[in-house]
Amino acid sequence: MTEESAPTRSDRVARERRGRRRSTKLFVRDILIIFVVAVLVSFLIKTFVVRSFYIPSASMENTLQINDRIVVNELEPGLVPISHGDVVVFRDPGGWLPPEPPSTRNPIAAAIDSALTFIGLSAADSNDHLIKRVIGLPGDHVTCCNALGQISVNGTPLKEPYILVPPGQTKAATVDFDVTVPAGELWVMGDNRYNSQDSSRNQNLPGKGFVPIDHVVGRAFVISWPIPRWAWLDNYPEVFQGVEDGK
């Protein structure tokens, strides 16, 4: 029969140290796994569900201000149809935006922005997209302006509480138009009607001012930053009541 020697104090200390090191490694491993999973989930959400953009211009004032951050629902128009009054983000249909001058940025700032863009908390390509409100859907007859300066859709005049018109002006657009929206396209306008490169001002381009639905990234539904500006973005269904009846 063999006698086992009792563990010495140094043995116990060594075991405790090994246990602490193992616990630290497990903790670090778990943190890394959680971080990687969170990044992947954020990437998948950004790619298929929601995405963040910032507002670079005044074309949607006073609804949206320069440097507001918005969250865009990318399920629209893929799974959810676009509605009148929706505020949508879309790729330039061609010639709406001036060429971007080459810019140099601090490499650290560029790397941080790229990382935030990857997980959907920023959008490095915000300057390559536009944001406007949907006024006309495929098949709509959209005109401006009637005797009161209003836009009409399918013969229904729109009373638009969201638009910004300079003092002394009465028209809801700077350019008169009379169009029928083709299949698969949209007629969109900025809320800041006298400072917006929208459908009405791009009628001379090959696309005649229409935006292909497949250029739409999604519908903006909330202002997420800055915190005092937090708000849901309304599509004002009451403004467009009766529009469908006029088709």
Side-chain angles (χ1 to χ4, degrees):
M1 184 173 178
T2 305
E3 291 186 0
E4 295 184 2
S5 58
T8 63
R9 183 175 181 278
S10 59
D11 292 334
R12 290 196 299 272
V13 170
R15 280 200 301 270
E16 288 173 0
R17 286 176 178 172
R18 286 195 297 269
R20 283 197 295 268
R21 283 198 295 268
R22 185 171 181 277
S23 297
T24 301
K25 289 178 181 178
L26 289 174
F27 175 75
V28 171
R29 185 202 65 182
D30 290 345
I31 291 296
L32 288 174
I33 290 173
I34 291 170
F35 175 76
V36 170
V37 170
V39 168
L40 289 175
V41 169
S42 297
F43 173 73
L44 292 173
I45 289 174
K46 183 210 78 168
T47 303
F48 299 108
V49 184
V50 296
R51 187 176 174 188
S52 176
F53 284 87
Y54 76 89
I55 304 302
S57 77
S59 69
M60 283 295 291
E61 291 180 348
N62 286 321
T63 303
L64 297 172
Q65 305 291 328
I66 294 175
N67 289 329
D68 277 354
R69 260 58 175 178
I70 56 170
V71 178
V72 172
N73 174 13
E74 294 185 292
L75 297 179
E76 186 175 329
L79 296 178
V80 182
I82 294 174
S83 300
H84 290 106
D86 283 350
V87 177
V88 294
V89 173
F90 56 94
R91 303 193 310 275
D92 186 350
W96 287 37
L97 292 170
E100 275 287 306
S103 61
T104 56
R105 286 198 302 168
N106 181 297
I108 296 176
I112 292 173
D113 193 44
S114 296
L116 292 175
T117 297
F118 178 80
I119 61 175
L121 296 179
S122 181
D125 58 355
S126 286
N127 283 322
D128 300 330
H129 290 72
L130 298 102
I131 182 165
K132 308 293 178 193
R133 191 178 298 275
V134 176
I135 303 300
L137 295 173
D140 282 343
H141 180 210
V142 189
T143 63
C144 188
C145 298
N146 65 13
L148 297 177
Q150 297 168 307
I151 292 174
S152 296
V153 180
N154 301 326
T156 301
L158 305 182
K159 296 179 180 179
E160 303 178 277
Y162 44 78
I163 67 173
L164 178 63
V165 176
Q169 300 292 340
T170 58
K171 287 189 173 184
T174 59
V175 180
D176 289 348
F177 52 85
D178 186 335
V179 301
T180 298
V181 185
E185 310 218 42
L186 303 170
W187 186 265
V188 299
M189 301 188 72
D191 288 356
N192 188 356
R193 292 290 165 80
Y194 283 69
N195 187 18
S196 174
Q197 284 296 324
D198 54 29
S199 289
S200 67
R201 293 193 183 185
N202 289 293
Q203 298 177 76
N204 59 328
L205 294 176
K208 301 185 185 303
F210 300 110
V211 176
I213 291 177
D214 62 12
H215 278 47
V216 175
V217 174
R219 175 180 62 86
F221 67 95
V222 68
I223 301 171
S224 59
W225 190 265
I227 291 175
R229 293 271 304 144
W230 193 95
W232 296 106
L233 294 174
D234 196 353
N235 65 357
Y236 295 89
E238 68 279 3
V239 171
F240 297 89
Q241 283 182 353
V243 165
E244 294 295 331
D245 298 336
K247 281 190 175 183

